[in-house]
Amino acid sequence: MCEAPRAAGDAAADVDVVTSGGRRRIPAHSSVLASASPVLESILQRRLKRDRDGGGKAGRAVVRIRGVTDDAAAAFVRLLYAGSSGGEAEEEEIDEKSAVQMLVLAHAYRVPWLKRRCEETVGSLLTAESAVDAMQLAGLCDAPQLHLRCTRLLAKEFKAVEKTEAWRFLQDNDPWLELDILRRLHDAGLRRRKWRRKRAEQRVYVELSEAMDCLRHICTEGCTEVGPVGRAPAAAPCPAYATVCRGLQLLIRHFSRCHRTSCPRCQRMWQLLRLHAALGDLPDGQCNTPLCMQFRREEEERAKAKAGDDDDKWGLLVKKVKVARAMFSLGKRRQMSSSPSQC
């Protein structure tokens, strides 16, 4: 017999919590247990109703906690009392050795706050050796946070997990779970690759947006090597000279001197000029960029003729560059509202 935890005022204990095999009896208060767990509340109500219907004298109720060690059951009751007293629950530490059993009890008796804490404790102790068992436990106890941590560890250290006894046992006895884990790892790898591909595409759209800004800057104000018609190049480089502007100026100079019909650098310049015309927001006649009006008219004719697949892809590219330009401009305004504008 153990001493009852201090709670519920000075009322005497009216419940005995009996551990597996009846080896230990923990006095407790029904009001505390019922308020902490709806499952324990239902058990106590059934016992009370049975005693009332039996007509006999009601004795101390008995609640049996099976399947865990005596220490884990005692710790579970102690934490229920700590939770009933408010802030003291956060001060109570969960023993690492009994954290798994406490998670099972918290799930079985529906104590959400204790279940979350046990998830955190078990998750903090994860290793390659225990990841498979912990994932099975997370599935049985409906512990999504623990399941997520197990999945991340498996994805990060799968080569080490494959060498463990738990993984070999899983392969021999539960091939469906093995297949589910491998599928999750495969899906996670696909998501990572998709995310990286999208990030790379977004960087390309931002770079194209910066190139369009630089092209307008070169054709309107001029930079160190190329300037608008009738004006000398600028004496000082622009802020984006080292990253975008210098390479674009060299491309423009090559484009003006090259006479080959299948030059890849010239084709790149043609594409940039076409993209500038598609993104142009200046009225007709006010843009100094070469061939802008010609490309605009061609784009209007293509739109009227209902362009094919290639032009549909081109239109999608134009839309994505517009979005990247808007997001990039918004980010710069938020970061440095008073900084000089880059070309």
Side-chain angles (χ1 to χ4, degrees), residues 315-328:
L316 182 61
L317 172 66
V318 172
K319 290 180 181 178
K320 290 188 175 182
V321 173
K322 284 182 179 179
V323 172
R325 170 183 280 187
M327 298 300 294
F328 185 68

Side-chain angles (χ1 to χ4, degrees), residues 149-290:
R149 295 184 71 163
C150 292
T151 304
R152 288 176 176 172
L153 181 64
L154 284 168
K156 184 179 179 181
E157 302 181 17
F158 185 67
K159 290 184 178 180
V161 173
E162 279 187 308
K163 299 176 182 178
T164 62
E165 185 65 29
W167 181 261
R168 289 192 291 269
F169 181 84
L170 181 69
Q171 288 178 310
D172 295 336
N173 296 275
D174 197 346
W176 288 109
L177 180 57
E178 178 195 6
L179 180 63
D180 181 64
I181 292 174
L182 294 176
R183 181 184 59 80
R184 289 177 182 273
L185 295 180
H186 177 69
D187 292 345
L190 289 179
R191 285 194 297 271
R192 282 195 301 271
R193 288 193 290 272
K194 184 178 179 180
W195 178 79
R196 290 170 183 166
R197 186 170 61 250
K198 285 188 174 181
R199 288 291 300 270
E201 290 176 357
Q202 191 64 26
R203 283 195 295 269
V204 172
Y205 300 142
V206 172
E207 290 173 0
L208 286 173
S209 175
E210 293 176 345
M212 294 301 99
D213 292 339
C214 278
L215 182 61
R216 175 183 294 182
H217 156 73
I218 291 170
C219 296
T220 304
E221 303 168 1
C223 202
T224 55
E225 300 179 28
V226 179
V229 178
R231 287 179 54 181
C238 65
Y241 177 81
T243 56
V244 181
C245 201
R246 184 172 184 274
L248 186 57
Q249 290 183 84
L250 294 176
L251 186 61
I252 292 173
R253 292 182 62 181
H254 169 83
F255 181 74
S256 64
R257 298 172 181 174
C258 181
H259 301 289
R260 289 188 295 168
T261 56
S262 59
C263 175
R265 296 184 66 187
C266 292
Q267 290 176 359
R268 193 178 304 122
M269 189 65 213
W270 279 110
Q271 291 173 345
L272 290 176
L273 291 172
R274 182 186 175 187
L275 181 60
H276 165 80
L279 296 172
D281 52 2
L282 293 177
D284 294 348
Q286 296 187 16
C287 182
N288 294 332
T289 305

